[in-house]
Amino acid sequence: MAYDAEDTRRRIFAAASAEFADHGLAGARVDRIATAARANKQAIYLYFGCKERLFAAVLRAKLEELCGTVSIDPDAVAESVGRIFDWYQDHPELIRLLLWDSLEVCDDPDNERERRDAFRGNVRQLAGTDPAAPPDTGRVRAAQDLLFTLMGLIAWNFAVPRMCRMVLDEESEEAALARRRRTVIETARTLAAQHLHSGLTR
C-alpha cells in the first residue's frame, strides 16, 4: 500500500488535538501523539516543525472549524448563539485548548495577527458592515464588545461545568447546560438589541 501523506497528517492532527486538550502544551508528549496517530515522530517534525507549531496549528484549525460551521447572523444573533453553544457542547476540546493557550503559550505576533484578522471578519459580519467600506467606529466597536461578551457567555459554561451544576443546583451537568443554553440565548437577544442599537447612535 502506498504511503498516504495526507492521511498521516490527519491522524497526527486528530491525535494531537486530543493530547493537547488533555495535557496542554507543556504536558503533551510527541511520542504519545505518534503512537496514537500510528505515525513516527519524524513525520510529526517533518509536517509541523515542532510541538509548539503543532499546538498552534491545532488551535487555529479548531477555531477555523468553528467559524466555518457556525457564524453570528446580525439579524438572528440569539439563534446563532444557540448553534455556537451546541457546537461547543459537541467539541469540548476547544475550550480546553483555549485555556491551555492562555496559560502556557507566549505571545506570537504572527499567530496573533492571523487570529486578529479572523476576528475582524467576525466583527464586520456582526456589525453588518461592508468589509471594503471605511469602518463605522461606533457600530464596529459595539460589535467588538458584543462578540467578546457573547464568547464569554457561551464558553464559561464549558470551562467550569461542575461549578455551573452547583450554582444552578442541578442534579447533572447535562441539566445545567440545558438550562444555561436557554438563558444564554435570551441574554444574547437582549444584549444584541442593546449593543448594536447603541453602536448606531454613537
Side-chain angles (χ1 to χ4, degrees):
M1 182 182 294
Y3 179 72
D4 188 336
E6 191 55 39
D7 183 60
T8 301
R9 256 186 238 263
R10 282 195 294 269
R11 293 199 313 271
I12 291 171
F13 209 82
S17 298
E19 177 75 8
F20 287 131
D22 288 344
H23 302 285
L25 176 57
R29 295 291 176 265
V30 173
D31 55 350
R32 285 199 299 253
I33 294 172
T35 299
R38 304 188 313 281
N40 59 53
K41 292 169 67 171
Q42 287 71 27
I44 294 175
Y45 293 123
L46 174 65
Y47 295 140
F48 298 99
C50 63
K51 186 169 72 166
E52 289 75 14
R53 288 184 182 176
L54 177 55
F55 179 88
V58 165
L59 180 55
R60 181 171 59 250
K62 287 294 179 183
L63 290 170
E64 288 173 355
E65 184 182 348
L66 170 60
C67 293
T69 305
V70 287
S71 58
I72 299 182
D73 181 347
D75 298 319
V77 171
E79 292 75 10
S80 299
V81 163
R83 289 192 292 273
I84 296 172
F85 193 102
D86 294 340
W87 195 93
Y88 267 88
Q89 193 162 10
D90 291 338
H91 299 81
E93 70 280 1
L94 177 58
I95 189 64
R96 295 199 296 270
L97 290 168
L98 288 169
L99 291 171
W100 285 120
D101 180 61
S102 297
L103 289 169
E104 296 186 323
V105 177
C106 297
D107 289 340
D108 180 345
D110 292 335
N111 186 41
E112 182 172 323
R113 190 178 305 111
E114 186 176 318
R115 285 163 65 177
R116 188 184 292 259
D117 288 344
F119 286 127
R120 283 175 178 152
N122 298 144
V123 165
R124 290 286 188 146
Q125 181 185 32
L126 181 57
T129 58
D130 183 346
D136 174 354
T137 303
R139 190 167 182 86
V140 168
R141 288 178 68 84
Q144 289 169 338
D145 285 328
L146 176 59
L147 178 62
F148 193 74
T149 300
L150 294 175
M151 289 166 63
L153 193 63
I154 296 166
W156 188 241
N157 300 285
F158 302 100
V160 288
R162 283 182 294 176
M163 183 182 292
C164 176
R165 183 189 71 221
M166 290 185 288
V167 170
L168 299 186
D169 200 15
E170 293 286 355
E171 292 300 317
S172 68
E173 290 176 10
E174 291 76 15
L177 284 175
R179 179 174 161 191
R180 283 296 301 156
R181 184 184 189 278
R182 294 190 295 271
T183 301
V184 165
I185 288 172
E186 289 309 311
T187 303
R189 197 185 313 279
T190 301
L191 288 173
Q194 292 175 345
H195 275 69
L196 295 181
H197 175 74
S198 68
L200 284 171
T201 58
R202 290 181 193 179

